Amino acid sequence: MSAKKIILKFARQYPFKIILTIILGLSGAVFNGVSTTLIVPIILSLLNKSLDLQGAPNIIKWLMFPFAGLAEDYRLIIMTLAIVVAIALKNIASYASLVVSSALTRSLTADLRKAGVRLLLDVDLDYFAKMKVGDLINRLGAEVNRTATAIGTLIQIVITAITVLVFVCLLLAISWQLTLASTLLLSVVVIVNQYAIALSKFFGKQLSEASTAYSVRLMEMLNGIRLVKATGSEEKEYEQLQRLITVREKADFRCEATYGLIAPVTEVTSIIALLAIVFLGRIFFAEEVEALSAVLLTYLLVLFRLLPLVSQINGARSQLANTTASVESVYDFLRRDNKPFMKNGSIPYKKLREGIRFHHVSFAYPGHSELVLRDINLFLPYGTTLALVGSSGAGKSTLADLLPRFYDPTSGCILIDGIDVRQFDIKTLRNAMGIVSQETFLFNDTVRNNIAYARPEATEEEIIEAAQRANALEFIEELPQGLETIIGDRGVLLSGGQRQRIAIARALLQNPEILILDEATSALDTVSERLVQLAIEELSRDRTTLVIAHRLSTIQKAHQIAVLDRGQVVEIGSHEELLRKGGYYTRLYSMQFLDETNREKALVKASYEVRSRLNPMIGFLKLLVDNMVDSQQEREELIKESYHAATRILKILELIENSVRLHQPS
């Protein structure tokens, strides 16, 4: 869709303001034309001291008809007053049109921002994974402003065009011959301005792209400021941002320079056209010397008032072209047909009675064909704890994200008391869930407001009780302003363990039926981990809990433990049952909890197993590379054996990696 169609689509939302603006503009144009045309008879009256309009254009005679019967002593005064009143009415109408147009622009700006914020709150999480935060902020800020300006500019073009039309009609009434000649002469101005408008559109697109690049980079630098300082990269970041600022300012300068070029070019060419019109006037009216002064004076006066309006239209067209890229960017941002939205259910969620069932759940991220989860079947009974363990990338967090419907399964379903979660109202469903993850988000606000975020109506006593149960009250009381302490962006003024305990207090205050704990202690030191673990045990008491953990010490008391590998459940049972099986969980547990001597032996054994698998695989591959295979069947068997050996080696390496990482000091 073109930028002009988009602008008109936005403008149709405000028919009353637009019609009122145009009517006021039309009124101003009429009063402007009347006042301009009446000036000539006054000049003639002052020169001749009479109202002899013989040879004057018919339009002047028609306008002077109401004054023809007045006494000569009063006629000039009344005519002058009429002009003053017409000019006053013209300016009143123009001012009212400006006020209404400004109100329209402000309304559009506010409504576009509201629509943008509403969209960001409604759209699925997958959209944010693909978009850059800086780009979104730029579209909601600068690009929306430029789009609203484009609407106001288009309306101003319409009003100015109406005014030009009124003056053109006056010029035609005075002399169609001169008007035809003027049109031909002024077409040169139009051609020159059309080139400037094309340049303005091009530079406007450059400015929009430069603004987006600058906003995105600035946001990334601010979000990663700790990394920037930790790596001493301040100068590198400054140079990158300096380059982006320079590019943006150059694009902005080109836009302004192109826009500013229109007025002087129009003025120079217009003066040349005026002189040519005077010359042509003498030719057209060579036999009517008496009428020449009245006709030519009137024509030139009206034309002189018209030329600035033509310049205004050209300038407005240039400005409109300059904002085309912003209009298209905002329109694309506000579109809902090309963005993912979670379909809401109609059943209000009330209470969990039986349990949660993952029924043949498979999942692939939108836009990807590879399945992250494959045919998951699990049941989490009411009031129990189900722990998910496995190596990185096994699909644990993805499975947990499906429960609150951050994503929906590609196939299969999740049932709560036998009802598909997609049938529940999303808001009521998520209100029943509390989520505590390793990447806790806190607002740059007070401790109180962060704890009470999900329940802003909570009382002081409830907030303090939640903080106490989360083992957070002690350090909160030591803060400078206690609960009223501002904790900085993302809680930067608190330690990792303190942030986690604030998040747990928030979940306790929310009092959710279903609890999701996503590696909530994986990034903490030993002391903080113990405090947070105690808070988690308090939080999990008498709740239906889904736990994701790398540290197996935190989930040994879970009622069930599901072991995931490559998106599939490979083992399930209690801690003791899984140890007795001697499978994947047992190996992972051994890597984490054997003493150093036994652990070293296990690592040596694992290394030996890797070599024993690797050697024949290399032999198979060499046979394939040297083309020493007799049949296609033998080739396929060698490839299959190599694949199985590589898969087994990868699993062993993952176990070694998990063991090393989990035994590193926190």
Side-chain angles (χ1 to χ4, degrees):
M1 186 180 292
S2 66
K4 290 183 179 179
K5 289 183 179 179
I6 296 170
I7 292 173
L8 291 174
K9 182 176 181 180
F10 285 148
R12 282 198 294 268
Q13 302 175 30
Y14 311 90
F16 174 75
K17 288 182 179 179
I18 291 175
I19 293 172
L20 180 59
T21 303
I22 293 174
I23 290 174
L24 291 170
L26 177 60
S27 303
V30 172
F31 289 127
N32 193 7
V34 170
S35 63
T36 300
T37 311
L38 281 175
I39 291 175
V40 174
I42 290 182
I43 295 174
L44 294 175
S45 298
L46 289 172
L47 292 174
N48 302 328
K49 297 183 180 179
S50 66
L51 197 60
D52 183 10
L53 298 175
Q54 185 177 0
N58 292 330
I59 185 68
I60 295 180
K61 293 178 180 179
W62 182 77
L63 289 172
M64 291 304 300
F65 180 77
F67 308 101
L70 297 176
E72 190 174 336
D73 295 337
Y74 302 106
R75 186 186 299 125
L76 190 60
I77 297 174
I78 294 175
M79 288 171 59
T80 304
L81 288 174
I83 291 176
V84 172
V85 170
I87 292 175
L89 291 174
K90 170 252 181 183
N91 283 284
I92 290 172
S94 298
Y95 176 74
S97 177
L98 177 65
V99 170
V100 176
S101 177
S102 177
L104 169 64
T105 301
R106 289 196 304 274
S107 299
L108 180 63
T109 302
D111 289 347
L112 288 177
R113 287 205 173 114
K114 290 175 185 175
V117 172
R118 183 74 269 170
L119 181 140
L120 292 177
L121 290 172
D122 292 344
V123 76
D124 283 0
L125 286 176
D126 182 59
Y127 176 72
F128 297 97
K130 298 175 181 177
M131 293 295 295
K132 296 179 179 179
V133 176
D135 185 19
L136 296 177
I137 291 176
N138 181 61
R139 294 193 190 193
L140 272 176
E143 300 295 83
V144 164
N145 284 338
R146 286 163 61 83
T147 299
T149 301
I151 305 292
T153 302
L154 183 61
I155 294 172
Q156 190 59 44
I157 289 175
V158 173
I159 295 172
T160 308
I162 293 172
T163 308
V164 168
L165 183 62
V166 170
F167 276 89
V168 169
C169 291
L170 290 173
L171 292 174
L172 288 170
I174 296 170
S175 173
W176 66 268
Q177 299 98 326
L178 286 176
T179 303
L180 180 60
S182 301
T183 302
L184 293 174
L185 289 169
L186 292 174
S187 62
V188 178
V189 181
V190 174
I191 293 172
V192 172
N193 283 313
Q194 192 61 37
Y195 176 70
I197 288 167
L199 280 178
S200 185
K201 183 176 181 179
F202 175 73
F203 292 141
K205 184 177 181 181
Q206 284 189 338
L207 177 60
S208 179
E209 292 174 352
S211 297
T212 299
Y214 167 70
S215 298
V216 168
R217 188 60 195 172
L218 180 63
M219 181 61 64
E220 288 179 347
M221 186 270 287
L222 293 175
N223 286 337
I225 192 65
R226 291 177 66 89
L227 175 62
V228 171
K229 291 188 173 297
T231 57
S233 302
E234 291 91 344
E235 286 303 316
K236 182 180 72 174
E237 292 295 328
Y238 175 76
E239 289 174 3
Q240 290 182 354
L241 284 169
Q242 184 184 43
R243 179 178 56 81
L244 292 173
I245 290 171
T246 302
V247 171
R248 186 191 179 283
E249 293 309 310
K250 283 183 178 179
D252 197 9
F253 170 75
R254 289 169 181 164
C255 290
E256 293 293 332
T258 305
Y259 177 73
L261 184 66
I262 293 174
V265 170
T266 302
E267 183 176 357
V268 171
T269 51
S270 299
I271 292 298
I272 295 173
L274 278 174
L275 295 174
I277 290 168
V278 172
F279 177 75
L280 292 172
R282 289 182 62 85
I283 296 174
F284 291 148
F285 299 97
E287 298 177 358
E288 304 175 31
V289 179
E290 294 288 336
L292 177 60
S293 61
V295 173
L296 200 53
L297 180 61
T298 306
Y299 194 90
L300 290 176
L301 186 61
V302 174
L303 184 62
F304 191 74
R305 294 294 297 274
L306 171 64
L307 291 178
L309 298 175
V310 175
S311 179
Q312 287 179 25
I313 286 183
N314 288 326
R317 288 179 63 207
S318 175
Q319 188 174 7
L320 186 64
N322 183 263
T323 56
T324 296
S326 297
V327 172
E328 293 173 349
S329 175
V330 170
Y331 175 71
D332 181 69
F333 168 58
L334 294 178
R335 286 179 59 188
R336 287 179 168 253
D337 59 336
N338 61 349
K339 297 178 180 65
F341 289 91
M342 191 70 67
K343 186 177 179 181
N344 197 9
S346 58
I347 303 175
Y349 178 85
K350 294 181 180 179
K351 185 175 178 59
L352 179 66
R353 292 180 174 83
E354 298 174 10
I356 303 168
R357 183 177 298 279
F358 296 85
H359 182 66
H360 296 290
V361 171
S362 295
F363 176 76
Y365 283 101
H368 296 79
S369 58
E370 184 180 355
L371 290 176
V372 180
L373 300 174
R374 297 180 180 84
D375 198 31
I376 300 293
N377 287 284
L378 293 170
F379 181 63
L380 173 56
Y382 169 78
T384 64
T385 297
L386 169 63
L388 304 177
V389 300
S391 60
S392 298
K396 305 184 297 298
S397 296
T398 302
L399 184 62
D401 285 344
L402 298 181
L403 185 53
R405 291 197 67 198
F406 293 151
Y407 299 95
D408 280 335
T410 304
S411 63
C413 60
I414 301 175
L415 306 172
I416 296 182
D417 293 342
I419 301 174
D420 193 325
V421 293
R422 287 172 283 205
Q423 298 182 35
F424 289 112
D425 173 70
I426 291 179
K427 185 175 181 180
T428 58
L429 176 68
R430 291 175 179 170
N431 283 342
M433 297 182 183
I435 302 173
V436 181
S437 66
Q438 59 179 326
E439 296 180 2
T440 299
F441 182 85
L442 299 177
F443 291 94
N444 190 359
D445 204 341
T446 63
V447 174
R448 176 195 303 278
N449 290 340
N450 272 284
I451 293 176
Y453 181 75
R455 279 190 58 202
E457 75 283 358
T459 64
E460 178 88 4
E461 291 74 16
E462 289 174 327
I463 293 173
I464 292 175
E465 181 185 1
Q468 187 171 18
R469 292 175 62 192
N471 289 325
L473 186 59
E474 182 178 354
F475 82 79
I476 291 174
E477 290 176 340
E478 295 176 355
L479 294 175
Q481 284 83 40
L483 285 171
E484 305 303 325
T485 302
I486 303 291
I487 59 177
D489 188 36
R490 296 175 178 266
V492 68
L493 300 180
L494 302 178
S495 69
Q498 290 171 336
R499 288 196 295 270
Q500 288 288 52
R501 281 177 277 169
I502 292 291
I504 293 170
R506 182 166 59 199
L508 281 165
L509 187 63
Q510 183 184 352
N511 194 26
E513 267 196 324
I514 302 167
L515 186 62
I516 301 173
L517 302 174
D518 189 353
E519 303 182 31
T521 63
S522 63
L524 303 181
D525 58 75
T526 306
V527 176
S528 296
E529 179 187 359
R530 181 55 184 161
L531 290 171
V532 170
Q533 188 60 41
L534 290 173
I536 287 175
E537 291 175 3
E538 174 66 24
L539 176 62
S540 306
R541 188 174 300 162
D542 301 325
R543 298 183 202 277
T544 306
T545 307
L546 182 66
V547 182
I548 300 170
H550 274 308
R551 299 185 181 180
L552 303 185
S553 59
T554 62
I555 48 91
Q556 291 184 25
K557 297 179 181 179
H559 298 88
Q560 293 182 87
I561 299 173
V563 183
L564 272 67
D565 182 43
R566 301 185 183 279
Q568 294 179 300
V569 176
V570 294
E571 292 179 335
I572 187 168
S574 66
H575 174 69
E576 291 77 13
E577 290 171 346
L578 291 175
L579 286 180
R580 284 196 294 269
K581 288 182 179 180
Y584 189 99
Y585 181 83
T586 303
R587 291 194 296 273
L588 187 61
Y589 179 82
S590 299
M591 287 290 187
Q592 289 192 27
F593 293 102
L594 289 176
D595 57 49
E596 285 300 317
T597 303
N598 291 332
R599 181 166 167 268
E600 288 177 3
K601 291 180 179 178
L603 288 174
V604 170
K605 182 180 178 181
S607 175
Y608 172 77
E609 188 172 351
V610 168
R611 291 197 305 274
S612 65
R613 300 273 181 176
L614 190 59
N615 288 332
M617 186 179 73
I618 293 174
F620 296 154
L621 294 175
K622 183 171 178 56
L623 290 174
L624 292 170
V625 171
D626 294 340
N627 200 21
M628 298 178 66
V629 183
D630 296 332
S631 65
Q632 181 63 28
Q633 181 179 359
E634 186 179 358
R635 177 182 293 273
E636 291 177 356
E637 288 178 358
L638 289 176
I639 293 173
K640 186 176 180 180
E641 289 296 331
S642 299
Y643 172 77
H644 288 313
T647 303
R648 180 58 185 159
I649 290 169
L650 185 61
K651 289 183 178 181
I652 297 170
L653 291 176
E654 285 177 351
L655 287 171
I656 296 173
E657 179 187 348
N658 287 332
S659 175
V660 172
R661 182 168 59 83
L662 291 169
H663 281 79
Q664 288 177 343
S666 299

